Amino acid sequence: MTDRSGIFAGDDPFAIARAWLSDAEATEPNDPNAIALATVDGGGLPNARMVLLKEIEADGFLFYTNYGSAKAREIDVAGKAAFVMHWKSLRRQIRVRGLTSREEGRMADEYFASRSLQSRLGAWASRQSQPLASRGRLMAEVARVTAVHGVAPERPPFWGGIRLKPLEIEFWADGAFRLHDRFQWRRAAVEEEWTVTRLSP
């Protein structure tokens, strides 16, 4: 039994994460939903980059990407990823590790359709993470796909969602004298119940 209360209280870690993100939306000046996503390549060398988290679901976290990108290729091979959300204004962070799968259905179609036209055309034009001769070459490709796909481009088959179902979630809040509060939610499989443990700072 842990002594969780206040911002750590609750029986659902996803509800806690949504509440923390809601708090951050009122205080962070830019991209409160930004996450530092970590993957690993075939040689075991880690990679990290900033991505925008688009939804905290009932049992997972969802973001979108080009499936040809380095992150998507590494996730496809490993089937695993990790991320951290950090809010300087709140002095809080959430760390997540777990298993990944693609979201290529209706949700991906609806989210793609909600993006600006320029972003949708850019998704068609960009060969993400591949070498690019010049920005002029990229803009020429944008013009080409605009002529092909017009003002209502469908979601590219190489673009969609990645869902991370966590095996571990850690909620961290700054404490006086660097005696931080940390609570780790952990489960051996996504179908199992959570065990919650207070961790030393």
Side-chain angles (χ1 to χ4, degrees), residues 160-176:
I162 293 179
R163 176 175 288 106
L164 192 157
K165 289 200 170 185
L167 300 177
E168 292 181 13
I169 305 176
E170 180 187 323
F171 296 93
W172 180 104
D174 183 66

PDB file of all heavy atoms in Angstrom, residues 160-176:
ATOM      1  N   GLY A 160       0.689   6.994 -40.312  1.00  0.00           N
ATOM      2  CA  GLY A 160      -0.385   6.605 -39.405  1.00  0.00           C
ATOM      3  C   GLY A 160       0.040   6.687 -37.953  1.00  0.00           C
ATOM      4  O   GLY A 160       1.044   7.326 -37.617  1.00  0.00           O
ATOM      5  N   GLY A 161      -0.712   6.014 -37.113  1.00  0.00           N
ATOM      6  CA  GLY A 161      -0.484   6.107 -35.679  1.00  0.00           C
ATOM      7  C   GLY A 161       0.389   4.995 -35.142  1.00  0.00           C
ATOM      8  O   GLY A 161       0.491   3.911 -35.733  1.00  0.00           O
ATOM      9  N   ILE A 162       1.013   5.285 -34.012  1.00  0.00           N
ATOM     10  CA  ILE A 162       1.706   4.273 -33.217  1.00  0.00           C
ATOM     11  C   ILE A 162       1.155   4.365 -31.805  1.00  0.00           C
ATOM     12  O   ILE A 162       1.118   5.436 -31.202  1.00  0.00           O
ATOM     13  CB  ILE A 162       3.228   4.463 -33.235  1.00  0.00           C
ATOM     14  CG1 ILE A 162       3.760   4.186 -34.648  1.00  0.00           C
ATOM     15  CG2 ILE A 162       3.896   3.546 -32.214  1.00  0.00           C
ATOM     16  CD1 ILE A 162       5.249   4.370 -34.800  1.00  0.00           C
ATOM     17  N   ARG A 163       0.704   3.233 -31.331  1.00  0.00           N
ATOM     18  CA  ARG A 163       0.109   3.146 -29.991  1.00  0.00           C
ATOM     19  C   ARG A 163       1.098   2.450 -29.067  1.00  0.00           C
ATOM     20  O   ARG A 163       1.620   1.380 -29.394  1.00  0.00           O
ATOM     21  CB  ARG A 163      -1.201   2.368 -30.057  1.00  0.00           C
ATOM     22  CG  ARG A 163      -1.869   2.137 -28.708  1.00  0.00           C
ATOM     23  CD  ARG A 163      -3.214   1.457 -28.876  1.00  0.00           C
ATOM     24  NE  ARG A 163      -4.201   2.376 -29.450  1.00  0.00           N
ATOM     25  CZ  ARG A 163      -4.647   2.317 -30.704  1.00  0.00           C
ATOM     26  NH1 ARG A 163      -4.211   1.394 -31.544  1.00  0.00           N
ATOM     27  NH2 ARG A 163      -5.558   3.191 -31.130  1.00  0.00           N
ATOM     28  N   LEU A 164       1.362   3.062 -27.924  1.00  0.00           N
ATOM     29  CA  LEU A 164       2.232   2.464 -26.922  1.00  0.00           C
ATOM     30  C   LEU A 164       1.371   2.039 -25.741  1.00  0.00           C
ATOM     31  O   LEU A 164       0.715   2.876 -25.110  1.00  0.00           O
ATOM     32  CB  LEU A 164       3.315   3.452 -26.481  1.00  0.00           C
ATOM     33  CG  LEU A 164       4.470   2.886 -25.658  1.00  0.00           C
ATOM     34  CD1 LEU A 164       5.696   3.781 -25.777  1.00  0.00           C
ATOM     35  CD2 LEU A 164       4.117   2.698 -24.194  1.00  0.00           C
ATOM     36  N   LYS A 165       1.357   0.736 -25.465  1.00  0.00           N
ATOM     37  CA  LYS A 165       0.657   0.210 -24.294  1.00  0.00           C
ATOM     38  C   LYS A 165       1.705  -0.065 -23.217  1.00  0.00           C
ATOM     39  O   LYS A 165       2.557  -0.936 -23.377  1.00  0.00           O
ATOM     40  CB  LYS A 165      -0.131  -1.045 -24.646  1.00  0.00           C
ATOM     41  CG  LYS A 165      -1.336  -0.751 -25.516  1.00  0.00           C
ATOM     42  CD  LYS A 165      -2.356  -1.864 -25.458  1.00  0.00           C
ATOM     43  CE  LYS A 165      -3.652  -1.440 -26.134  1.00  0.00           C
ATOM     44  NZ  LYS A 165      -4.711  -2.467 -25.981  1.00  0.00           N
ATOM     45  N   PRO A 166       1.646   0.673 -22.136  1.00  0.00           N
ATOM     46  CA  PRO A 166       2.751   0.639 -21.173  1.00  0.00           C
ATOM     47  C   PRO A 166       2.754  -0.594 -20.269  1.00  0.00           C
ATOM     48  O   PRO A 166       1.710  -1.121 -19.891  1.00  0.00           O
ATOM     49  CB  PRO A 166       2.518   1.902 -20.342  1.00  0.00           C
ATOM     50  CG  PRO A 166       1.058   2.160 -20.445  1.00  0.00           C
ATOM     51  CD  PRO A 166       0.649   1.698 -21.805  1.00  0.00           C
ATOM     52  N   LEU A 167       3.974  -0.996 -19.947  1.00  0.00           N
ATOM     53  CA  LEU A 167       4.210  -1.957 -18.879  1.00  0.00           C
ATOM     54  C   LEU A 167       4.688  -1.235 -17.623  1.00  0.00           C
ATOM     55  O   LEU A 167       4.583  -1.776 -16.535  1.00  0.00           O
ATOM     56  CB  LEU A 167       5.254  -2.988 -19.315  1.00  0.00           C
ATOM     57  CG  LEU A 167       4.894  -3.814 -20.545  1.00  0.00           C
ATOM     58  CD1 LEU A 167       6.043  -4.751 -20.914  1.00  0.00           C
ATOM     59  CD2 LEU A 167       3.616  -4.598 -20.322  1.00  0.00           C
ATOM     60  N   GLU A 168       5.202  -0.019 -17.809  1.00  0.00           N
ATOM     61  CA  GLU A 168       5.628   0.809 -16.676  1.00  0.00           C
ATOM     62  C   GLU A 168       5.239   2.263 -16.938  1.00  0.00           C
ATOM     63  O   GLU A 168       5.395   2.763 -18.046  1.00  0.00           O
ATOM     64  CB  GLU A 168       7.145   0.750 -16.469  1.00  0.00           C
ATOM     65  CG  GLU A 168       7.670  -0.589 -16.008  1.00  0.00           C
ATOM     66  CD  GLU A 168       9.180  -0.564 -15.796  1.00  0.00           C
ATOM     67  OE1 GLU A 168       9.768   0.547 -15.778  1.00  0.00           O
ATOM     68  OE2 GLU A 168       9.771  -1.644 -15.651  1.00  0.00           O
ATOM     69  N   ILE A 169       4.719   2.903 -15.910  1.00  0.00           N
ATOM     70  CA  ILE A 169       4.467   4.344 -15.925  1.00  0.00           C
ATOM     71  C   ILE A 169       4.984   4.898 -14.604  1.00  0.00           C
ATOM     72  O   ILE A 169       4.633   4.373 -13.534  1.00  0.00           O
ATOM     73  CB  ILE A 169       2.968   4.683 -16.058  1.00  0.00           C
ATOM     74  CG1 ILE A 169       2.353   4.010 -17.292  1.00  0.00           C
ATOM     75  CG2 ILE A 169       2.767   6.195 -16.118  1.00  0.00           C
ATOM     76  CD1 ILE A 169       0.847   4.239 -17.412  1.00  0.00           C
ATOM     77  N   GLU A 170       5.800   5.922 -14.685  1.00  0.00           N
ATOM     78  CA  GLU A 170       6.271   6.566 -13.456  1.00  0.00           C
ATOM     79  C   GLU A 170       5.829   8.017 -13.429  1.00  0.00           C
ATOM     80  O   GLU A 170       6.047   8.763 -14.388  1.00  0.00           O
ATOM     81  CB  GLU A 170       7.792   6.502 -13.340  1.00  0.00           C
ATOM     82  CG  GLU A 170       8.306   7.156 -12.067  1.00  0.00           C
ATOM     83  CD  GLU A 170       9.813   7.254 -11.995  1.00  0.00           C
ATOM     84  OE1 GLU A 170      10.499   6.318 -12.460  1.00  0.00           O
ATOM     85  OE2 GLU A 170      10.311   8.289 -11.480  1.00  0.00           O
ATOM     86  N   PHE A 171       5.208   8.408 -12.328  1.00  0.00           N
ATOM     87  CA  PHE A 171       4.815   9.800 -12.099  1.00  0.00           C
ATOM     88  C   PHE A 171       5.816  10.415 -11.127  1.00  0.00           C
ATOM     89  O   PHE A 171       6.050   9.882 -10.043  1.00  0.00           O
ATOM     90  CB  PHE A 171       3.401   9.857 -11.523  1.00  0.00           C
ATOM     91  CG  PHE A 171       2.345   9.341 -12.461  1.00  0.00           C
ATOM     92  CD1 PHE A 171       1.943   8.014 -12.413  1.00  0.00           C
ATOM     93  CD2 PHE A 171       1.759  10.182 -13.404  1.00  0.00           C
ATOM     94  CE1 PHE A 171       0.981   7.529 -13.285  1.00  0.00           C
ATOM     95  CE2 PHE A 171       0.796   9.700 -14.277  1.00  0.00           C
ATOM     96  CZ  PHE A 171       0.399   8.379 -14.215  1.00  0.00           C
ATOM     97  N   TRP A 172       6.386  11.542 -11.527  1.00  0.00           N
ATOM     98  CA  TRP A 172       7.454  12.202 -10.774  1.00  0.00           C
ATOM     99  C   TRP A 172       7.071  13.650 -10.544  1.00  0.00           C
ATOM    100  O   TRP A 172       6.637  14.348 -11.464  1.00  0.00           O
ATOM    101  CB  TRP A 172       8.744  12.119 -11.589  1.00  0.00           C
ATOM    102  CG  TRP A 172       9.990  12.733 -11.027  1.00  0.00           C
ATOM    103  CD1 TRP A 172      11.034  12.084 -10.459  1.00  0.00           C
ATOM    104  CD2 TRP A 172      10.371  14.127 -11.039  1.00  0.00           C
ATOM    105  NE1 TRP A 172      12.029  12.970 -10.105  1.00  0.00           N
ATOM    106  CE2 TRP A 172      11.650  14.231 -10.450  1.00  0.00           C
ATOM    107  CE3 TRP A 172       9.740  15.292 -11.483  1.00  0.00           C
ATOM    108  CZ2 TRP A 172      12.300  15.442 -10.296  1.00  0.00           C
ATOM    109  CZ3 TRP A 172      10.394  16.510 -11.326  1.00  0.00           C
ATOM    110  CH2 TRP A 172      11.663  16.572 -10.736  1.00  0.00           C
ATOM    111  N   ALA A 173       7.236  14.116  -9.309  1.00  0.00           N
ATOM    112  CA  ALA A 173       6.994  15.523  -8.989  1.00  0.00           C
ATOM    113  C   ALA A 173       8.132  16.049  -8.129  1.00  0.00           C
ATOM    114  O   ALA A 173       8.618  15.355  -7.234  1.00  0.00           O
ATOM    115  CB  ALA A 173       5.661  15.705  -8.281  1.00  0.00           C
ATOM    116  N   ASP A 174       8.524  17.276  -8.406  1.00  0.00           N
ATOM    117  CA  ASP A 174       9.630  17.900  -7.700  1.00  0.00           C
ATOM    118  C   ASP A 174       9.330  18.027  -6.215  1.00  0.00           C
ATOM    119  O   ASP A 174       8.208  18.353  -5.802  1.00  0.00           O
ATOM    120  CB  ASP A 174       9.866  19.290  -8.305  1.00  0.00           C
ATOM    121  CG  ASP A 174      11.044  19.991  -7.686  1.00  0.00           C
ATOM    122  OD1 ASP A 174      12.174  19.523  -7.868  1.00  0.00           O
ATOM    123  OD2 ASP A 174      10.825  21.022  -7.012  1.00  0.00           O
ATOM    124  N   GLY A 175      10.336  17.761  -5.402  1.00  0.00           N
ATOM    125  CA  GLY A 175      10.198  17.898  -3.955  1.00  0.00           C
ATOM    126  C   GLY A 175      11.260  18.806  -3.381  1.00  0.00           C
ATOM    127  O   GLY A 175      12.325  18.998  -3.986  1.00  0.00           O
ATOM    128  N   ALA A 176      10.976  19.361  -2.239  1.00  0.00           N
ATOM    129  CA  ALA A 176      11.941  20.245  -1.581  1.00  0.00           C
ATOM    130  C   ALA A 176      13.235  19.492  -1.288  1.00  0.00           C
ATOM    131  O   ALA A 176      13.211  18.297  -0.959  1.00  0.00           O
ATOM    132  CB  ALA A 176      11.343  20.796  -0.290  1.00  0.00           C
TER     133      ALA A 176
END
